[in-house]
Amino acid sequence: MTAGGAAELDVELVRKDFPILERTVHDGRPLVYLDNAATAQKPRAVIDAMRDYYELHNANVHRGIHALAEEATALYEGARDKVAAFVNAPDRHEIVFTKNSSEALNLVTYAFSNAATQGEQAERFRLGPGDEVVVTEMEHHSNLVPWQMLCQRTGARLRWLGLTDEGRLDLGNLDEVINERTKVVSFVHQSNILGTVNPVAPIAARARQVGALVVLDGSQSVPHLPIDVTALDVDFLAFTGHKMCGPTGIGVLWGRRELLEVMPPFLGGGEMIELVTMEASTYAPPPHRFEAGTPMIAQAVGLGAAVDYLTGLAGGAGMAAVAAHEHRLTEYALARLAEVPGLQIIGPTGAVDRGGAISFLLSGADGRAIHPHDVGQVLDEQGIAVRVGHHCARPVCLRFGVPATTRASFHLYTTTSEIDALVEGLAGVRRFFQS
Amino acid sequence: MKLDSMYQEIILDHYRNPHHRGLREPYDAEVHHVNPTCGDEVTLRVRIVDGTVADVSYDSEGCSISQASASVMSDLVIGKSVEKALALEREFLTLMQSRGTVEPDEDVLEDAVAFAGVSKYPARVKCALLSWMAWKDATAQVVSGRAGAGGAGHAGGRPAPVPEQEKQPR
Ligand SMILES: Cc1ncc(COP(=O)(O)O)c(C=O)c1O
């Protein structure tokens, strides 16, 4: 337990906040929702906040002088304050609302390509032949494909850090992969497929040494760990509302203010401008420079409510309590899954520096692999929701020589009895496919 | 259990003992199709002689449904005229898109009727169709003369075409 001893999460109480957890599937089976890495369920507080917004306050933001417009603007900007506090951003202007993590990451990559047509000030975002971009082999496609596309557009070279057999980053050649040619390093904080929590400090330190910018994909870490951007020492952090009990349609790019101020915009339109003539325009300061058009107002309000909900858990212990609960679950699940015959975990088998997303392969009594699709289908029949496939991280599957995995992933409302149900369900899968 | 309607014994039999599996020479076209949502992949070769499907061979990774379907499909089309085989493909596609509302004709579809239950599971329809779409693509390449002679029909490194089933509304 961390110093100060965060109060424990009362998971039965927490579950009461999530209406969907009461439902059943397939003729009355209780739902065992273990697909939290794909998306999290929503507490009543979030659903209510969004309904209230539409029933009482709906208006466009930043463009009206009437009562509703002012209320809507206050709610939208209030959500920005909440999110800023949630990740300990020094300045509320450092929080840019996007559609999701993918858009947040694309916003950064397009800033790099748009730098070519901007003035001196965009120097740090200039990229061209001879320059290098570094990612890792465990990236979600959302933090890989945009960089591949950027390299295609600019002629820069894409490089990556590889993986160990345990599913951790291989930092053996860190100093070679990140070198004087490296302009930006972008990597995932917690892997959605392996569960690995990556060491940010040594990678960020090496990037600093060579003057490269550091982007962190926090899609799976912000929903599960206490995050303090000032302690992480990165330049950008992307995360997505729907995985942290907020609604879909809202994500966040946090960036250091001095960088956002010189970063070229991605999408043009209303709200992101300062002065417009027929010939040219100047842009608004951040964050509005990066929020063209009417934003996702209700969704921002919903995300603000999610942040309040998470922060208030366990008598204010908040994310520390969530992280402690999930750590216990992960330890328990790793131990229980180790008892399942024919099961092989892809990713770290210990709970240290590891989150609660556990990928595995399963084979039958005859030693033949049971395909994840078949595993998932038979589990679903028992009410157990898992994800199967390559989890938008196909290079990881290639690295481990597997076509797909089954993944169980936890969240604040997951219980040990749900993990027991999974273990029993897997025994059922093996029986079903017995020849 | 509802599951039994999907995992018919015929399907499990083909899955356990697949027919025509393993890539063979000679062939006129080779294609590689993937199911991006779940990671199923198939490399498939066809040999067409005088308008007849002389051979279909494949190598695949995937679930029981996609494996069994490749086996059943090869059984069905090998030895048929291209025309008849394409008609079978359409018949099977209709069945798979029926959401369980079509009563399949066993005289026509033979073992493939076992997939009727799969059509009730939208997420799995793609699995059942993967090898059929690969076969159709490879055959079309041969028929249209797009495949190179001597079996080098597939340009290396070219991204696989979007499989037909990916284009359908979910
Ligand atoms: C590690 C990681 N990065 C990025 C994403 C993309 O998030 P979104 O789909 O919300 O843009 C996800 C979620 O799927 C993820 O797990």
Side-chain angles (χ1 to χ4, degrees):
Chain A
M1 194 78 285
T2 49
E8 279 198 18
L9 208 63
D10 181 339
V11 67
E12 288 310 324
L13 265 184
V14 166
R15 289 180 73 83
K16 293 203 169 68
D17 297 330
F18 291 80
I20 207 169
L21 298 179
E22 280 155 34
R23 71 159 283 184
T24 57
V25 287
H26 300 313
D27 309 325
R29 289 174 185 273
L31 170 69
V32 176
Y33 185 75
L34 300 179
D35 193 17
N36 291 285
T39 200
Q41 299 302 346
K42 320 305 173 198
R44 200 171 278 108
V46 168
I47 301 166
D48 288 349
M50 294 178 73
R51 195 201 310 103
D52 278 358
Y53 170 76
Y54 280 127
E55 286 185 355
L56 301 170
H57 312 291
N58 179 55
N60 210 330
V61 292
H62 302 303
R63 46 180 92 163
I65 47 154
H66 54 81
L68 293 188
E70 279 170 15
E71 287 170 25
T73 304
L75 283 166
Y76 179 70
E77 292 301 330
R80 197 187 308 277
D81 291 325
K82 290 173 185 187
V83 171
F86 190 66
V87 295
N88 199 30
D91 183 338
R92 65 183 306 280
H93 298 98
E94 297 183 334
I95 299 294
V96 177
F97 284 132
T98 63
K99 176 171 75 168
N100 49 32
S101 283
S102 306
E103 190 182 87
L105 293 161
N106 276 277
L107 195 161
V108 179
T109 61
Y110 274 93
F112 275 94
S113 24
N114 293 345
T117 56
Q118 307 283 309
E120 286 274 285
Q121 55 161 23
E123 186 56 35
R124 292 209 67 185
F125 294 92
R126 290 249 168 84
L127 202 64
D131 294 331
E132 294 180 0
V133 171
V134 173
V135 295
T136 81
E137 206 177 356
M138 66 165 85
E139 297 313 317
H140 186 281
H141 296 163
S142 291
N143 193 35
L144 172 61
V145 180
W147 298 105
Q148 291 175 340
M149 292 164 69
L150 172 65
C151 288
Q152 278 167 6
R153 289 194 300 268
T154 58
R157 173 178 174 208
L158 185 70
R159 304 194 61 176
W160 54 88
L161 293 162
L163 306 184
T164 67
D165 291 339
E166 245 257 295
R168 301 213 178 259
L169 285 182
D170 181 357
L171 299 182
N173 59 352
L174 180 68
D175 290 355
E176 187 230 311
V177 176
I178 303 179
N179 58 55
E180 319 66 56
R181 294 182 298 277
T182 310
K183 281 290 166 70
V184 54
V185 179
S186 187
F187 64 103
V188 66
H189 194 187
Q190 174 171 324
S191 162
N192 66 309
I193 176 167
L194 297 165
T196 316
V197 177
N198 287 319
V200 178
I203 301 172
R206 175 60 186 159
R208 295 263 171 264
Q209 230 174 36
V210 301
L213 293 171
V214 183
V215 183
L216 194 64
D217 175 1
S219 305
Q220 297 286 348
S221 58
V222 175
H224 302 286
L225 301 169
I227 295 290
D228 176 345
V229 290
T230 60
L232 280 174
D233 193 31
V234 297
D235 298 307
F236 297 97
L237 175 73
F239 51 105
T240 194
H242 67 96
K243 293 189 205 283
M244 49 195 288
C245 305
T248 53
I250 182 105
V252 177
L253 178 71
W254 168 82
R256 284 183 198 282
R257 181 151 188 186
E258 65 271 24
L259 286 168
L260 290 180
E261 267 167 2
V262 294
M263 187 162 103
F266 166 33
L267 301 172
E271 218 59 64
M272 56 78 73
I273 45 80
E274 203 173 48
L275 290 172
V276 179
T277 65
M278 282 316 291
E279 291 76 29
S281 305
T282 55
Y283 309 128
H288 301 293
R289 175 187 305 170
F290 305 105
E291 295 180 358
T294 299
M296 12 358 213
I297 307 165
Q299 289 77 0
V301 172
L303 179 58
V307 161
D308 280 345
Y309 175 79
L310 292 170
T311 311
L313 285 166
M319 291 307 293
V322 171
H325 171 68
E326 290 185 30
H327 184 73
R328 282 191 298 274
L329 284 175
T330 305
E331 273 183 330
Y332 183 78
L334 288 169
R336 292 277 356 241
L337 290 172
E339 297 163 13
V340 177
L343 186 142
Q344 182 200 344
I345 287 172
I346 303 291
T349 50
V352 178
D353 291 332
R354 189 198 209 296
I358 306 181
S359 273
F360 56 84
L361 305 175
L362 186 69
S363 48
D366 54 2
R368 183 164 173 192
I370 305 173
H371 193 275
H373 251 190
D374 295 317
V375 175
Q377 193 84 54
V378 178
L379 288 177
D380 176 60
E381 199 71 11
Q382 304 168 61
I384 304 168
V386 295
R387 173 138 181 222
V388 300
H390 54 46
H391 315 289
C392 298
R394 189 162 177 273
V396 173
C397 290
L398 294 175
R399 162 65 177 78
F400 287 95
V402 301
T405 74
T406 304
R407 179 188 70 191
S409 55
F410 318 136
H411 219 313
L412 69 161
Y413 41 69
T414 306
T415 65
T416 50
S417 48
E418 288 182 305
I419 291 164
D420 294 338
L422 170 69
V423 169
E424 276 161 41
L426 290 171
V429 172
R430 294 184 90 236
R431 277 195 301 276
F432 189 84
F433 287 101
Q434 217 156 45
S435 349
Chain B
M1 193 163 51
K2 210 166 106 216
L3 266 191
D4 295 329
S5 81
M6 160 156 22
Y7 292 111
Q8 302 265 325
E9 259 323 303
I10 299 178
I11 292 181
L12 292 175
D13 282 348
H14 275 275
Y15 164 61
R16 291 182 187 121
N17 302 299
H19 304 173
H20 310 288
R21 198 185 160 89
L23 294 172
R24 280 185 298 279
E25 310 263 354
Y27 63 98
D28 300 310
E30 177 181 297
V31 296
H32 182 73
H33 276 218
V34 299
N35 192 341
T37 47
C38 57
D40 289 348
E41 303 196 15
V42 64
T43 303
L44 181 141
R45 293 175 174 178
V46 290
R47 170 98 175 125
I48 310 275
V49 178
D50 299 333
T52 295
V53 183
D55 195 21
V56 174
S57 66
Y58 61 90
D59 193 12
S60 62
E61 284 276 8
C63 63
S64 56
I65 303 297
S66 74
Q67 302 282 320
S69 186
S71 172
V72 169
M73 181 274 296
S74 317
D75 266 355
L76 267 176
V77 299
I78 293 174
K80 297 236 165 48
S81 70
V82 168
E83 202 181 319
K84 276 220 177 89
L86 284 171
L88 276 173
E89 185 272 328
R90 282 191 297 275
E91 183 95 12
F92 187 71
L93 185 62
T94 306
L95 174 65
M96 295 318 293
Q97 292 172 335
S98 73
R99 302 255 163 145
T101 58
V102 165
E103 196 50 57
D105 184 346
E106 189 162 0
D107 291 337
V108 178
L109 284 176
E110 302 176 29
D111 277 3
V113 297
F115 291 88
V118 177
S119 74
K120 284 181 262 175
Y121 292 81
R124 303 302 294 277
V125 167
K126 290 176 185 179
C127 309
L129 288 175
L130 181 69
S131 58
W132 283 90
M133 295 304 153
W135 171 79
K136 187 176 155 188
D137 180 24
T139 302
Q141 287 186 20
V142 179
V143 172
S144 70
R146 271 184 290 138
H154 191 61
R158 183 166 62 89
V162 177
E164 193 65 30
Q165 63 269 32
E166 286 301 307
K167 297 176 191 158
Q168 294 154 20
R170 291 279 201 96

